[in-house]
Amino acid sequence: MNCEVCGEADSMPYTCSRCGETYCVSHRLPEYHECTGLAVDKANREMLRAEGEEVPWFEKGSGKALTEDSATASRNSKMDLWPDKILLLLIISIATLGAGYFTLSLIGVIQ
Ligand SMILES: [Zn+2]
Ligand SMILES: [Zn+2]
């Protein structure tokens, strides 16, 4: 089996688990052979992020950090969620206060 990138015949060829092609020891990593599986993966992540979905910073199992860009994008999307949470908390506390007042007035504590 020859490496798909440099054509070198290796005695210990590696098969990429993402694209299924064969590579030598120096081209075995997806980053070093322009892996099609990696490109699909990246496209999927970009698509999910565009739809506002939470995308993990780390790839499953590999523990490899994504690029700085994706980390920043993920942080930004978290920031956007803040006002929603604050609004929700506000509504909950107003509703709780309202319900308490209503109960008290119902049993005649507050006229
Ligand atoms: Zn190679
Ligand atoms: Zn590959």
Side-chain angles (χ1 to χ4, degrees), residues 3 5-8 23-24 26-27:
C3 171
V5 179
C6 60
E8 197 177 293
Y23 300 98
C24 69
S26 43
H27 292 117

Side-chain angles (χ1 to χ4, degrees), residues 55-92:
V55 180
W57 293 18
F58 297 93
E59 289 190 66
K60 260 184 229 147
S62 69
K64 189 167 62 64
L66 299 177
T67 60
E68 186 66 28
D69 277 357
S70 2
T72 312
S74 188
R75 253 201 303 278
N76 285 343
S77 77
K78 275 206 177 70
M79 295 274 283
D80 290 343
L81 290 174
W82 263 103
D84 278 357
K85 272 186 185 157
I86 290 169
L87 200 71
L88 194 72
L89 273 175
L90 214 69
I91 290 168
I92 288 171

Side-chain angles (χ1 to χ4, degrees), residues 95-110:
T96 311
L97 278 174
Y101 186 84
F102 179 75
T103 311
L104 287 177
S105 64
L106 206 68
I107 60 174
V109 173
I110 300 165

